[in-house]
Amino acid sequence: MKLFQILLFCLLSSGFLFAQDSQTTNETQNTSPEVSAEEQTLSAVKKLIGFIRYKKNDKALALVHVGKFSEKLIGDHKISAAERKEFEDAISEYIVNKAFPVALKYFDKIDITYDKPSVTGKQARIGSSILYKGSDQIKFAWILSESEGAWYISDFETEGKLATEINRTKNIEPSIKKNGIKGTISLIQKAAKN
């Protein structure tokens, strides 16, 4: 089953868990100049791409907010906290095993052009493009969310559509209706291993 085809592209250089290297001590925060939200968001995206290029998947995944991404994929479906955790773990495994290798193919040794980040409250969007194989221009955008003072990739936009929206309506919702949440989690885990 070709589960989350768009998710692969959507996560080309993004990550969703809650662990990012960030300044945590007052001493570090007081001695460094204040960095704008725009600079922080762009830095998160560039770090993610660097980690993917060097196959540092744990560090790359730490820049992805898997919780927010999973929440958008699940939509209005009511699931238990244990099922949510299991779903997030399956999505994390899928990102590392499927999305990051696809991202590496697109971003390895290719320069990415970034638009100026657009920050509104705790949300940000960074339009980007690459020239793939020297002639195909691919345009996309990173969607970031701020959580506890750090910025994380929480979605990906291509052709004006969010990855989570496309994957929810085309893959997750039909699978939950047909297989239930446990069956859907199982399919994600299976897809992550193949």
Side-chain angles (χ1 to χ4, degrees), residues 41-173:
T41 58
L42 191 54
S43 175
V45 170
K46 287 181 176 181
K47 282 180 186 177
L48 175 68
I49 293 167
F51 290 146
I52 290 172
R53 282 181 174 163
Y54 292 102
K55 299 181 183 176
K56 295 183 178 183
N57 292 338
D58 290 344
K59 289 185 176 189
L61 187 62
L63 295 170
V64 178
H65 200 302
V66 177
K68 284 192 186 290
F69 191 77
S70 295
E71 184 179 302
K72 292 176 186 179
L73 287 173
I74 294 167
D76 295 334
H77 295 281
K78 303 295 180 211
I79 64 173
S80 70
E83 291 169 330
R84 182 172 304 280
K85 171 78 169 99
E86 204 175 343
F87 186 86
E88 289 176 13
D89 290 346
I91 292 295
S92 294
E93 184 179 4
Y94 189 86
I95 290 168
V96 168
N97 293 334
K98 296 295 184 179
F100 286 170
V102 169
L104 178 61
K105 184 173 87 172
Y106 278 93
F107 295 135
D108 191 35
K109 300 174 186 156
I110 293 176
D111 290 330
I112 300 172
T113 304
Y114 301 99
D115 295 342
K116 182 179 179 193
S118 171
V119 179
T120 306
K122 293 186 175 206
Q123 300 293 314
R125 182 184 183 281
I126 302 174
S128 303
S129 65
I130 59 172
L131 200 56
Y132 186 66
K133 293 189 176 181
S135 61
D136 296 328
Q137 185 175 24
I138 300 172
K139 292 185 177 192
F140 52 93
W142 310 99
I143 307 300
L144 295 93
S145 299
E146 188 270 329
S147 178
E148 298 180 14
W151 288 92
Y152 301 92
I153 292 80
S154 59
D155 214 332
F156 194 84
E157 180 185 304
T158 182
E159 297 180 9
K161 297 178 182 174
L162 294 175
T164 52
E165 177 70 21
I166 294 167
N167 283 297
R168 187 182 75 248
T169 58
K170 290 190 177 189
N171 296 307
I172 300 297
E173 286 179 354

Side-chain angles (χ1 to χ4, degrees), residues 1-69:
M1 179 178 177
K2 207 169 187 184
L3 190 61
F4 303 113
Q5 181 180 12
I6 295 173
L7 175 64
L8 292 175
F9 187 76
C10 296
L11 296 173
L12 291 179
S13 72
S14 28
F16 288 129
L17 285 178
F18 293 101
Q20 177 183 5
D21 294 335
S22 61
Q23 299 174 340
T24 55
T25 64
N26 288 338
E27 181 181 312
T28 305
Q29 290 175 351
N30 290 336
T31 59
S32 64
E34 191 170 318
V35 179
S36 73
E38 289 84 2
E39 292 170 316
Q40 290 175 33
T41 58
L42 191 54
S43 175
V45 170
K46 287 181 176 181
K47 282 180 186 177
L48 175 68
I49 293 167
F51 290 146
I52 290 172
R53 282 181 174 163
Y54 292 102
K55 299 181 183 176
K56 295 183 178 183
N57 292 338
D58 290 344
K59 289 185 176 189
L61 187 62
L63 295 170
V64 178
H65 200 302
V66 177
K68 284 192 186 290
F69 191 77

